[in-house]
Amino acid sequence: MNGLIVFNSANDVVYQKLNEPLAQKIRNVATTQGLLRSGGVLDSNVLLQIFSPIVGSQRIMQCQFDNAYSSLQCEQGFNLVFGELLGFTFLKIGQIPVELLGRQMGVALTLTRYCYGANLFASQAGAMQQELLTQCLDCYETLLWQEDQTFLLEAMPKLLINAELKRTVHLTLDASLEHLRHLGLPRAHALLLVSNKLVAVNSTRQALPLSAADLLFLSLMSRSLQAPKSPSQRAVAVFLQGVSHDVNSGCVPSIVHISRLHGDQVLLQVIEYAHMPLTSCIYDSFFVLQKIVAVQHQGDSDALKPAYENLESFIAQAITALKRYLKQRSETEDLENCTKKFAAKWENLRKMYTEYFKNFERELLVRIESNLPSFGEELKQIFTLACCDSSSVHELDQLSDTAANVEAKLLEFAEFLAVKATRNISIDAYLEDFPGLVHFISVPKTKLWSMVEIARSYLKKGQTTVIWKDKAFHYSYFLWFEDQSGGILNTTLDLQQHFLATGAASGNGSKSPTEPGALTMDYYHDLADLCFPKLSPAKVRVYELYCIHLGLVTATCAVEHARRLVATISDVVGEETF
C-alpha cells in the first residue's frame, strides 16, 4: 500500500495519489463507517471525513504548540508521515519503514515545488502540472526506487567517453546554445543523456547554474515521460532551483524541451524565461508570509514583530521590483491592475499591523488574520502573471530543428555511445588490482538498501568513515571534502560532538534531522557549509565512496583499496565536473 494525500489550509483535499491496495483499504474503512456505499466512488469528500481528525490534530499541534507530528506508526506495518509546504499538509501513507517513507515524502515535496513553483495546486496551473507531478512520483516510487541504485543514492550517473568525443559533444551543444541565443533565448542549458547517463551539460553565460537537485529532477522527469507511445518531442513548464549560493536561486521558471534522438539519446533544452530578480523576490515572499501566519496561529507575541518586519522588507522589495519590471514591459495591463490591488491590500495590512503594535488589541489581530488569506491570493495571482507567463518564448517550435541538428552531428557516434552506456565502468577491470572487491559505488557529491541506510544513519551522527561486516561481506563507507584543485580539506569541527549538542544525532532536536541526499534538501551543501563556513560553497567538493568486499578481507586491506580506488577513478573520470 502506498499513497499521497494533500490538504490545503481549509483541510480540503487538493491532490490524491493512491495505489489500488491502499484505495481498497480506504474503501473498506469508509464502507464500514457508513461513508461509502458498496461499489461507490472514493472521492475527496470521503477522504476528508476519514483523515480530517488526524490532519486537524496535526494542525493543532503545529499551530498551538509548534510541535507537529512527524509520523504515526500503526499495526501491521502501516505508517503515516506528515509534511508541510506553504500551508499545505502532505500525508504519505505506506507499508514501508518510517525512515524510507520519510524520504519519499521529502521527494514528493521537492517534486511539487518543481512542478508548481510557489502557487501550489492552483487552478491557474491547470491539469498538465498535476499530471506531470503524478508521472514523476510514479516513476520515482515504482521504477527508480525499486531498480536504480543511483537514485537510491540520489546521484547522477556519468557516461565516460574519450577526450576527443567529449570535445565533439561539447562543441555540438555549444552550437545549439548559440542558435538559441540568436533566436532571442540567451539564458539556456543543453543536456545530453544516453540510456539515462549524463554525457554533457552546457550552459550560456547568462543562465543560472544548475544545482545537483536540478540535474536529478531533469533526469527523473525525462524518464517519467518515456512511455512507449509518448511523442519524441515534448515541452513542459517547470520551476528549477539553481545553485543555492546564487542570490536569484530558489525558483527558476523554465521551459524544458525534451527530444528523443537516435540510439537512446535524449536532448534536454532548458529555457529560462522569467525576470529573475522579480521572481526571486516574489517567491521568497511566500515563505515569509507563511511564517507570519504560523507565528500568529501559535500566539507567539514575542516573535510576531520580527516576523512582521521581515515580511515588510520582502514585500517592499517585491513591490519595487514589480514597478521596475512594469516600466520595462508593454502590454502588462493585467499585471499592472493586479499590482495596484496587491499594493493596496498590503498598505491596508501594514496600517493594521502598525496600529496593533501600538496597542496590542486582540480585535486588530483578528482583523489582520481575516485579511491575510485574500492578501495571499493576490500574491499568488502576482506570481502567476509575473513569473509564469512564458508567452514571450515564441521560438519553441524551432527547438525541434535544433534537436535535429544535434542528432545529425552525433549520428556517427550514436551506436558507440549506446554500447558504451551499457558498460561504462565495469567491475571486471578492477578485480585483478583489488582482490576480494565485490562491488563499489563512487559518487562525486553531489545494491544494497541496508548498506546505504546503515551508512546514512552513522553519517547523521557525524561519522564520515564507517566499516562493518556480516557473515558474508565486509562493508565500508567514506565521505571527504576536496578543494577545486583536488586537495583534501580537513575540518576542525567535531561533527559527532556538534550533532550530539544540537540533538540531530538522536533526533531529539526541535526539528527532525535532515536526511542525507540532494533531492529532498542539499544535505551535502549544508554539511560543507557547516564544516567550512569561511569558504564559498562553490569551492568545496563533497565525495562519497561505498565498497563491498568479501568477508575474509581485513579492514586494513579495505581502507587501502578505497584509497587506491579513489585515485584510479579520479584518473579515469578526470577533473571535469558538472
Side-chain angles (χ1 to χ4, degrees):
M1 289 188 284
N2 192 294
L4 174 69
I5 307 174
V6 183
F7 302 83
N8 63 13
S9 57
N11 281 1
D12 296 323
V13 176
V14 295
Y15 179 82
Q16 57 173 295
K17 179 184 174 297
L18 312 172
N19 67 0
E20 185 51 38
L22 180 57
Q24 187 58 51
K25 172 72 173 177
I26 296 175
R27 285 192 202 100
N28 294 339
V29 172
T31 303
T32 302
Q33 295 182 359
L35 303 175
L36 187 67
R37 295 179 180 177
S38 180
V41 178
L42 183 62
D43 58 18
S44 297
N45 290 327
V46 175
L47 292 175
L48 177 61
Q49 293 180 72
I50 291 176
F51 291 101
S52 60
I54 296 175
V55 176
S57 176
Q58 164 78 353
R59 291 193 185 278
I60 291 173
M61 292 296 292
Q62 174 66 46
C63 294
Q64 294 188 12
F65 305 105
D66 193 23
N67 189 26
Y69 309 125
S70 60
S71 62
L72 294 176
Q73 293 179 269
C74 308
E75 296 178 346
Q76 300 177 345
F78 190 80
N79 298 317
L80 299 90
V81 170
F82 295 91
E84 193 276 336
L85 182 62
L86 291 175
F88 289 81
T89 298
F90 287 64
L91 184 62
K92 195 80 179 71
I93 309 167
Q95 281 186 306
I96 60 176
V98 167
E99 293 77 13
L100 299 183
L101 202 61
R103 182 170 289 276
Q104 289 190 0
M105 167 62 81
V107 171
L109 292 171
T110 299
L111 293 177
T112 301
R113 288 205 331 258
Y114 272 112
C115 293
Y116 285 96
N119 204 356
L120 306 186
F121 305 103
S123 57
Q124 301 98 320
M128 289 184 62
Q129 299 310 107
Q130 180 168 313
E131 181 185 358
L132 179 62
L133 174 61
T134 300
Q135 288 175 309
C136 288
L137 286 171
D138 276 337
C139 182
Y140 179 79
E141 295 179 357
T142 63
L143 174 63
L144 302 181
W145 185 264
Q146 302 291 338
E147 300 177 5
D148 196 327
Q149 69 181 16
T150 58
F151 266 84
L152 162 65
L153 296 166
E154 295 187 9
M156 190 74 182
K158 177 181 177 182
L159 184 62
L160 300 179
I161 54 179
N162 62 56
E164 184 178 349
L165 180 52
K166 187 185 300 182
R167 181 174 178 275
T168 300
V169 171
H170 279 293
L171 288 174
T172 302
L173 296 184
D174 277 339
S176 70
L177 291 176
E178 182 64 18
H179 179 63
L180 294 180
R181 191 179 67 81
H182 285 303
L183 292 175
L185 303 172
R187 295 180 291 145
H189 310 270
L191 294 82
L192 182 67
L193 298 94
V194 177
S195 299
N196 305 311
K197 294 180 175 64
L198 184 63
V199 180
V201 52
N202 288 30
S203 306
T204 60
R205 290 184 178 181
Q206 296 184 42
L208 260 68
L210 297 172
S211 66
D214 290 337
L215 291 174
L216 288 168
F217 168 72
L218 290 170
S219 175
L220 169 62
M221 183 185 67
S222 171
R223 295 178 75 165
S224 69
L225 300 177
Q226 278 183 2
K229 296 183 180 180
S230 62
S232 60
Q233 308 272 346
R234 182 169 180 177
V236 293
V238 298
F239 300 86
L240 302 179
Q241 292 184 20
V243 291
S244 56
H245 54 82
D246 192 289
V247 293
N248 291 322
S249 65
C251 181
V252 187
S254 306
I255 299 293
V256 181
H257 188 272
I258 306 171
S259 305
R260 312 210 175 276
L261 312 180
H262 183 74
D264 290 327
Q265 296 180 51
V266 175
L267 176 68
L268 303 179
Q269 298 176 79
V270 182
I271 312 299
E272 300 174 10
Y273 62 84
H275 185 271
M276 285 314 304
L278 172 62
T279 301
S280 180
C281 283
I282 296 174
Y283 182 71
D284 290 341
S285 298
F286 277 91
F287 292 90
V288 180
L289 177 61
Q290 186 57 38
K291 175 64 178 177
I292 200 169
V293 169
V295 167
Q296 290 183 193
H297 284 166
Q298 292 162 11
D300 189 347
S301 56
D302 293 335
L304 183 56
K305 190 164 186 179
Y308 164 72
E309 290 172 349
N310 200 24
L311 177 65
E312 183 180 35
S313 173
F314 275 89
I315 296 299
Q317 291 177 42
I319 291 175
T320 301
L322 277 165
K323 291 178 178 178
R324 190 180 299 119
Y325 176 78
L326 288 169
K327 289 180 180 178
Q328 299 170 357
R329 297 291 188 275
S330 58
E331 300 179 5
T332 56
E333 183 178 350
D334 290 343
L335 178 58
E336 191 170 351
N337 292 335
C338 189
T339 301
K340 290 177 180 178
K341 289 175 62 179
F342 176 71
K345 284 184 178 292
W346 168 246
E347 182 62 21
N348 185 42
L349 265 177
R350 191 187 66 78
K351 289 179 179 178
M352 284 191 283
Y353 272 116
T354 302
E355 192 64 27
Y356 171 77
F357 289 126
K358 290 179 181 178
N359 306 312
F360 294 97
E361 294 180 10
R362 175 63 187 171
E363 183 182 345
L364 274 171
L365 198 58
V366 172
R367 287 176 56 198
I368 289 171
E369 290 176 353
S370 66
N371 278 270
L372 280 175
S374 62
F375 177 72
E377 290 302 314
E378 288 298 330
L379 184 60
K380 291 179 182 180
Q381 187 67 16
I382 287 282
F383 179 80
T384 300
L385 293 174
C387 309
C388 304
D389 182 11
S390 59
S391 59
S392 59
V393 185
H394 304 293
E395 298 79 6
L396 286 179
D397 56 335
Q398 298 192 42
L399 297 182
S400 299
D401 298 334
T402 306
N405 291 334
V406 171
E407 182 175 31
K409 291 179 180 179
L410 298 179
L411 187 59
E412 62 178 299
F413 307 108
E415 295 301 328
F416 170 78
L417 290 172
V419 173
K420 187 72 172 67
T422 63
R423 296 285 291 177
N424 214 20
I425 299 178
S426 171
I427 187 68
D428 299 340
Y430 295 86
L431 292 180
E432 184 176 343
D433 292 332
F434 303 94
L437 181 66
V438 177
H439 189 64
F440 73 86
I441 312 166
S442 175
V443 286
K445 283 290 47 106
T446 37
K447 175 166 183 183
L448 297 178
W449 282 97
S450 58
M451 177 189 185
V452 175
E453 290 306 314
I454 289 172
R456 283 174 169 166
S457 68
Y458 278 97
L459 177 61
K460 289 190 292 183
K461 296 176 182 178
Q463 295 276 10
T464 56
T465 299
V466 188
I467 298 176
W468 73 101
K469 64 184 301 182
D470 57 21
K471 293 181 179 179
F473 297 108
H474 187 289
Y475 306 91
S476 54
Y477 165 79
F478 307 89
L479 178 143
W480 70 99
F481 304 93
E482 293 183 7
D483 58 23
Q484 290 177 307
S485 62
I488 299 295
L489 292 174
N490 295 311
T491 179
T492 57
L493 178 69
D494 188 327
L495 285 174
Q496 288 180 263
Q497 290 298 322
H498 174 79
F499 288 154
L500 283 171
T502 58
S506 60
N508 293 329
S510 59
K511 299 295 180 183
S512 299
T514 305
E515 289 292 324
L519 263 179
T520 54
M521 184 178 288
D522 200 339
Y523 180 92
Y524 301 98
H525 171 274
D526 293 344
L527 190 63
D529 191 45
L530 176 66
C531 293
F532 308 99
K534 295 182 180 180
L535 289 178
S536 167
K539 295 182 178 180
V540 181
R541 296 175 181 174
V542 189
Y543 291 87
E544 288 180 305
L545 178 68
Y546 292 82
C547 291
I548 305 175
H549 288 79
L550 294 175
L552 296 174
V553 174
T554 65
T556 302
C557 181
V559 171
E560 176 61 19
H561 279 190
R563 184 187 63 79
R564 289 164 51 201
L565 264 174
V566 170
T568 303
I569 296 170
S570 296
D571 290 340
V572 174
V573 174
E575 290 300 316
E576 180 185 1
T577 59
F578 297 118

